[in-house]
Amino acid sequence: MSLDEEYTAYVSGRLPWLRQIAYPLCQDWHRADDLVQTAITRLYVKWRQARAADNLDAYVRTILVRVFLAEQRGGWFSRVRLTPMPPSPPIEGTDRDTAMDMRRALAAVPPRQRATLVLRFHCDLSVEQTARTLGCSTGTVKSQTARGLANLRSILGAPDSRLSHTEER
């Protein structure tokens, strides 16, 4: 199999997964597709190096998150809005009102905290894995997680224990 065929096979199989990571970061399916497109373009350029990675999915997830954070720093999204945000697709098996509230709250959290929360809770990464993905220390991940959860609590008007992932009972 050629390098191009390997790349195409990998990307074809992982597109839905990449979109599922990109959407909670940016809260817009069109923008999520743009993030994924940029990430897979960067992956193509580095495919020889990437295919030798110990964990290719982690490598690609890192590219995707860094593309999102770089876009936030560059301010492109705040200057350009091509269309109004489309409605979010229905969520199966959950309370839709709660899910919509959570999406709105997550969108209001600063980008770096949002990326940390998505990696920790949506992607179920450890503190160490999240730190590697974001290129920061584990202490930074812990503080960004704490601040992000505090922001979500504040936005949702939730008591401290409601959004804690380690609730005491």
Side-chain angles (χ1 to χ4, degrees):
M1 187 182 285
S2 74
L3 288 176
D4 282 348
E5 291 170 335
E6 283 180 15
Y7 168 81
T8 301
Y10 175 79
V11 168
S12 296
R14 300 312 276 163
L15 276 176
W17 172 74
L18 288 167
R19 289 184 82 229
Q20 290 299 316
I21 295 170
Y23 178 78
L25 290 171
C26 64
Q27 304 292 309
D28 177 326
W29 283 111
H30 295 293
R31 189 167 166 226
D33 288 338
D34 290 344
L35 290 172
V36 169
Q37 183 63 45
T38 302
I40 64 174
T41 300
R42 289 188 184 171
L43 175 64
Y44 182 78
V45 171
K46 296 181 177 248
W47 182 245
R48 280 188 197 275
Q49 175 185 344
R51 65 191 279 269
D54 290 338
N55 185 340
L56 183 55
D57 286 345
Y59 188 96
V60 176
R61 184 176 44 235
T62 298
I63 291 173
L64 178 64
V65 170
R66 289 183 181 175
V67 164
F68 166 72
L69 291 173
E71 182 182 281
Q72 294 300 116
R73 282 190 298 273
W76 179 89
F77 183 67
S78 64
R79 292 190 311 264
V80 177
R81 185 65 122 174
L82 301 176
T83 61
M85 289 181 68
S88 299
I91 298 171
E92 299 298 324
T94 60
D95 175 6
R96 291 181 183 180
D97 290 338
T98 301
M100 287 173 47
D101 290 345
M102 185 58 79
R103 280 189 189 134
R104 285 188 199 106
L106 189 59
V109 172
R112 188 107 177 146
Q113 291 174 15
R114 186 178 334 139
T116 303
L117 293 173
V118 168
L119 291 171
R120 291 283 290 125
F121 302 111
H122 181 73
C123 296
D124 200 26
L125 298 184
S126 69
V127 170
E128 294 77 17
Q129 291 168 319
T130 302
R132 279 193 300 275
T133 299
L134 294 174
C136 64
S137 70
T138 58
T140 299
V141 169
K142 291 175 185 177
S143 66
Q144 290 292 309
T145 301
R147 288 183 186 129
L149 289 173
N151 279 331
L152 283 176
R153 286 184 196 107
S154 173
I155 293 164
L156 293 170
D160 285 348
S161 64
R162 185 170 161 201
L163 288 178
S164 175
H165 64 283
T166 56
E167 278 188 11
E168 293 180 301
R169 292 186 181 223

